[in-house]
Amino acid sequence: MKKKKYTANCNPFKLLRVISIKGSAFLLTFFSLMVFSHYLLAQKSLPHSQPVQKQDLVEILKSDTLEIINKDGVDSRRVINGVFKHEGAILHSNLAIQNINTNVIEAFGNVRIVQGDTVTVTGDTLFYYGNTRMAIVSGRKTVLKDSKRTLTTRKIEYDMANGIANYKVPGRTVDEENILTSTEGFYNTRTKEFTYYKNVKLVNKKYTLTTDTLLYNSITKWSYFDGATKIVNKDGTVAGTKGRYNTESAESSFQNRTTVDNETYTLTADSLVVDGKTNNGQGKGNVVIVAKKDQTVLNGDEGFYWKSKGYSKIFGHAYVRNVISDDTLYIRADTLYSHENNIDSTRKLIGYKNVFIYKSDFQGKCDSISYNTADSIIRFFQRPILWSDQHYQMEADSITAFLVNNEMNRMLLKGKAFVITEDTLVKQFNQVKGRTINAYFESDNKLKQVLVDGNGESIYYAIDDKQKNIGLNRVECGRMNLLFAESQVRKISFIGKPDGRLIPPSKIKQPERQLDGFNWRIKEKPTKEKTVWAE
C-alpha cells in the first residue's frame, strides 16, 4: 500500500504542487490515475455502481488534511475536516474516506449536507454514493430541515437526485402547525409531500389524528389516510378506515364505514363528509344518526346533521325510532327531519310523504307527521288512518294524538272523521262518523268514549244483559256521546233531536250495516318490519 499525507488549510490544487516536489515518479502515477481513472473504473465490475464519469466525481473544495491512498489497485482519499461538492450539493464532515474507483464517500463526525437554499441534512455518519446521488445519514439524532419543517430520526436515506428522503426507524416531523410521528416515512422535498407508515400520529393544536398510513401534502394541507383512523378534537371524534382530512379547514371525508361521535349525537355511514370547524356532517349509505339525550335514532340511505342547530335530515329508506317509556315509536317516511331544542333537550320529529307509524299499541299511515316530545303530541296530516289493538280504525282529514305518561290518552279527528270498532261478540262493526270526533282511551289503550260534534251518524249493535244481540241501531244526530266497554257500545247519549231506528237482527239488510264511506282497511295496517323497511 502506498500512502501520502498532506496537511494544510488550502485547496487540493495547491497540494498538487507540493506533491510534485516529493518526486517525479509519484507525480506521473498520480496524474495517470486522475486522467485515466474513468477508463480503469470502466474495467471493474462493481455491484450497484455505474462507471464514474469525470464530471460526476465528487470534488474536494477544501480540507485540513488530505491523504492519497492506493491499496490493491483501489485509489482513495482520506480527508480531515473536508468540504465536498457534487451536483450542486455541499457535504461537510470531520473525517471522510473517498473511494475514487466507486465514487463513494464514507464520512464521520458533524456530517452536514446542504442542497440548494432549503434542504439541510445533519448526522453523525454518512455514506454517499456519488453515481446515484444517494446519501445515507445516521446518528443518535439525524435531522433533515427545509424552509418550514424539520424531520428528526436516527437514520435517513436521501435520494438527492429525486429529492426524496425516507426513514425506517421512528421519526418526528415538525412544521408551523403540526407534529407528526411514525415508525417509517418518506418525504419529497420538491412536492412537499410526506408518506408515513405504522403508528402514525399527527398532533395539531386543534386536533389529533392517528392512523396506519398517511400521505400529507404540506402545501395543500390535505392528509390522505388508509387503515384504522381516528381524528379527535374538543368537539368529538371521527373514526374510519379510509379517507382524507384538511389540517387547515378541518374538513374530512371518509370512503368506508365511519362514525362521528360527540356529546350530543353519533353519525355513522358508509361514506362521510365532516366539517371539523362546525362538526356538521353528511353521510351516505346505511346512515345512522343517534341523539344521545333521548336515544332517538334516525336511519336512511343519506343524511345530514347541523350540530349548531341540533338539526338532522335523512332520506332514502328513512325511518326513526324514539323510545317512549318501555315502548318504541317507529316512524317511516320518504324524508325525515329531527330538531333538538337545546334549552330543554326536547325534540321535534317531522316526516314527509308516505308515512308509516308503528307502536306496540297503535299503528297508522298518512302523508306527513310531526311529533313533539315536549308535549307528547303526534299530529297526522293528509287523510291519516290509525289502528289500535286490531279492533279500532280511525281516519279523518287530520288526526292529533295526545299521549299522557307515554300512553295514548285522546285522539282528535277533524274533517270527515270516521271511527270503526270491531264488535267481537257479533262479529260486526260499530261505526261513528262526523265533522269532528274526540276519542278517549283507557290506560290499557282500549277505547272508552267517543264524542261527535257536527253531522253525527252512528251504527252500533245493541246487546242485552245476557250478551245477546237485540238489533242494529242507526242514529243521526248533530252531537252524540258514545261509551264503550270491551269494544262494544254500552251507552249512547244524543244532544239535540236524534233521528234513529232499531232494526231487529232478522230484518237487517247488508247495506244497512254500513255508513256511507265505510272501509275496513285492516290489511293496510303497517307491521314493525314494514315500518323499518325490513319487508
Side-chain angles (χ1 to χ4, degrees):
M1 177 182 72
K2 296 181 180 179
K3 179 175 180 182
K4 296 291 182 178
K5 178 176 181 179
Y6 306 94
T7 304
N9 285 321
C10 60
N11 66 42
F13 297 104
K14 292 182 180 180
L15 288 174
L16 293 179
R17 290 199 292 271
V18 177
I19 294 171
S20 65
I21 297 173
K22 298 294 182 178
S24 58
F26 180 79
L27 177 66
L28 178 60
T29 302
F30 180 79
F31 276 102
S32 297
L33 288 172
M34 294 294 291
V35 173
F36 297 106
S37 59
H38 67 284
Y39 172 78
L40 295 173
L41 289 171
Q43 308 306 309
K44 299 179 182 292
S45 176
L46 298 174
H48 309 294
S49 201
Q50 298 176 355
V52 181
Q53 302 299 319
K54 182 176 180 179
Q55 64 271 23
D56 292 334
L57 286 173
V58 178
E59 177 185 354
I60 302 176
L61 294 183
K62 65 175 183 178
S63 67
D64 290 350
T65 300
L66 171 64
E67 294 183 16
I68 308 299
I69 302 171
N70 181 277
K71 182 180 179 180
D72 299 328
V74 176
D75 301 310
S76 61
R77 300 168 179 170
R78 186 175 187 273
V79 183
I80 304 297
N81 295 329
V83 179
F84 298 84
K85 180 180 180 182
H86 191 238
E87 300 292 340
I90 305 298
L91 288 68
H92 302 255
S93 68
N94 293 347
L95 169 65
I97 307 297
Q98 180 184 18
N99 188 314
I100 304 300
N101 299 59
T102 61
N103 205 21
V104 174
I105 292 177
E106 296 180 54
F108 308 91
N110 294 316
V111 169
R112 185 168 84 256
I113 300 173
V114 180
Q115 188 179 37
D117 298 329
T118 58
V119 179
T120 301
V121 184
T122 59
D124 296 332
T125 63
L126 164 69
F127 284 84
Y128 180 67
Y129 301 86
N131 292 357
T132 60
R133 298 175 63 192
M134 174 63 74
I136 301 175
V137 184
S138 59
R140 286 181 296 179
K141 185 178 181 180
T142 303
V143 179
L144 183 150
K145 289 186 177 181
D146 67 6
S147 57
K148 293 184 178 180
R149 57 202 52 83
T150 300
L151 166 62
T152 304
T153 183
R154 288 187 293 107
K155 183 178 181 180
I156 295 175
E157 298 180 8
Y158 183 28
D159 179 356
M160 297 170 63
N162 297 300
I164 298 176
N166 77 87
Y167 57 91
K168 297 180 180 179
V169 292
R172 183 174 187 263
T173 302
V174 179
D175 62 20
E176 296 172 344
E177 299 176 349
N178 308 293
I179 299 174
L180 207 154
T181 56
S182 69
T183 302
E184 299 180 17
F186 287 81
Y187 174 46
N188 190 318
T189 62
R190 297 175 182 174
T191 64
K192 309 304 180 186
E193 288 182 330
F194 292 84
T195 305
Y196 300 96
Y197 300 99
K198 300 178 183 178
N199 302 314
V200 182
K201 185 176 183 179
L202 191 157
V203 178
N204 184 287
K205 62 182 180 180
K206 298 178 181 178
Y207 65 90
T208 298
L209 184 152
T210 56
T211 187
D212 293 333
T213 302
L214 177 70
L215 171 63
Y216 173 58
N217 189 309
S218 59
I219 297 176
T220 65
K221 305 300 182 182
W222 277 105
S223 299
Y224 299 85
F225 40 81
D226 193 7
T229 302
K230 183 180 290 185
I231 302 171
V232 181
N233 62 25
K234 63 182 181 62
D235 294 317
T237 301
V238 182
T241 57
K242 187 178 182 64
R244 64 176 190 164
Y245 182 79
N246 191 290
T247 61
E248 190 170 67
S249 67
E251 178 187 352
S252 60
S253 61
F254 291 78
Q255 300 173 20
N256 294 340
R257 194 72 179 162
T258 304
T259 298
V260 177
D261 182 80
N262 58 41
E263 74 280 4
T264 59
Y265 81 99
T266 61
L267 168 59
T268 305
D270 292 341
S271 66
L272 193 63
V273 175
V274 180
D275 185 337
K277 292 181 178 179
T278 63
N279 255 12
N280 296 341
Q282 175 186 359
K284 293 183 179 181
N286 193 19
V287 178
V288 181
I289 302 175
V290 180
K292 294 182 177 180
K293 292 181 180 179
D294 57 9
Q295 289 301 302
T296 296
V297 182
L298 287 87
N299 300 72
D301 294 337
E302 187 168 353
F304 297 84
Y305 181 80
W306 294 267
K307 182 177 183 296
S308 61
K309 300 177 181 179
Y311 182 65
S312 303
K313 173 185 177 182
I314 199 162
F315 50 92
H317 298 92
Y319 72 95
V320 61
R321 59 183 187 270
N322 178 253
V323 177
I324 302 177
S325 189
D326 295 329
D327 202 355
T328 302
L329 171 67
Y330 296 87
I331 301 174
R332 160 182 160 175
D334 289 353
T335 304
L336 283 166
Y337 299 89
S338 171
H339 189 271
E340 182 181 350
N341 187 326
N342 293 325
I343 298 175
D344 58 9
S345 297
T346 58
R347 182 175 303 280
K348 186 175 184 180
L349 297 169
I350 298 174
Y352 282 121
K353 299 297 182 184
N354 301 312
V355 176
F356 291 83
I357 311 101
Y358 180 88
K359 191 172 176 289
S360 64
D361 53 3
F362 77 91
Q363 301 80 40
K365 56 190 291 189
C366 60
D367 180 76
S368 58
I369 186 174
S370 73
Y371 170 48
N372 197 329
T373 62
D375 53 17
S376 296
I377 295 177
I378 307 175
R379 293 177 172 86
F380 308 86
F381 304 98
Q382 298 294 321
R383 299 298 300 174
I385 180 168
L386 301 177
W387 296 269
S388 178
D389 291 343
Q390 296 278 350
H391 303 302
Y392 311 114
Q393 176 178 296
M394 303 180 185
E395 55 183 318
D397 290 341
S398 68
I399 299 177
T400 303
F402 300 85
L403 305 180
V404 175
N405 296 325
N406 297 314
E407 291 186 351
M408 188 66 66
N409 177 262
R410 177 170 68 96
M411 283 192 184
L412 173 62
L413 292 72
K414 288 186 176 182
K416 299 178 182 178
F418 207 128
V419 177
I420 302 173
T421 64
E422 185 178 20
D423 192 321
T424 56
L425 181 65
V426 299
K427 301 186 182 302
Q428 294 294 334
F429 297 98
N430 298 312
Q431 303 155 51
V432 182
K433 62 185 292 189
R435 187 168 56 242
T436 301
I437 293 178
N438 273 286
Y440 294 86
F441 296 83
E442 297 181 281
S443 59
D444 55 1
N445 201 42
K446 291 183 177 180
L447 186 64
K448 68 176 181 179
Q449 184 180 13
V450 171
L451 293 175
V452 183
D453 188 1
N455 302 325
E457 296 180 54
S458 68
I459 288 179
Y460 66 93
Y461 290 87
I463 307 296
D464 62 17
D465 295 338
K466 297 181 181 180
Q467 298 292 301
K468 183 178 179 181
N469 180 16
I470 59 176
L472 174 65
N473 265 316
R474 290 185 63 103
V475 181
E476 294 183 8
C477 185
R479 300 174 68 185
M480 60 181 70
N481 180 10
L482 293 87
L483 300 179
F484 287 78
E486 301 300 329
S487 303
Q488 298 172 0
V489 179
R490 293 305 187 190
K491 183 179 180 181
I492 184 166
S493 302
F494 304 99
I495 302 173
K497 295 181 179 181
D499 180 10
R501 59 194 176 102
L502 176 65
I503 306 172
S506 60
K507 295 184 178 181
I508 299 174
K509 298 179 180 179
Q510 185 59 35
E512 295 174 320
R513 295 183 184 275
Q514 298 177 357
L515 293 176
D516 185 34
F518 171 86
N519 186 8
W520 181 243
R521 298 161 59 186
I522 194 66
K523 292 183 178 180
E524 299 178 35
K525 184 175 75 73
T527 62
K528 177 182 174 181
E529 289 71 23
K530 187 171 185 177
T531 307
V532 299
W533 302 91
E535 66 174 33

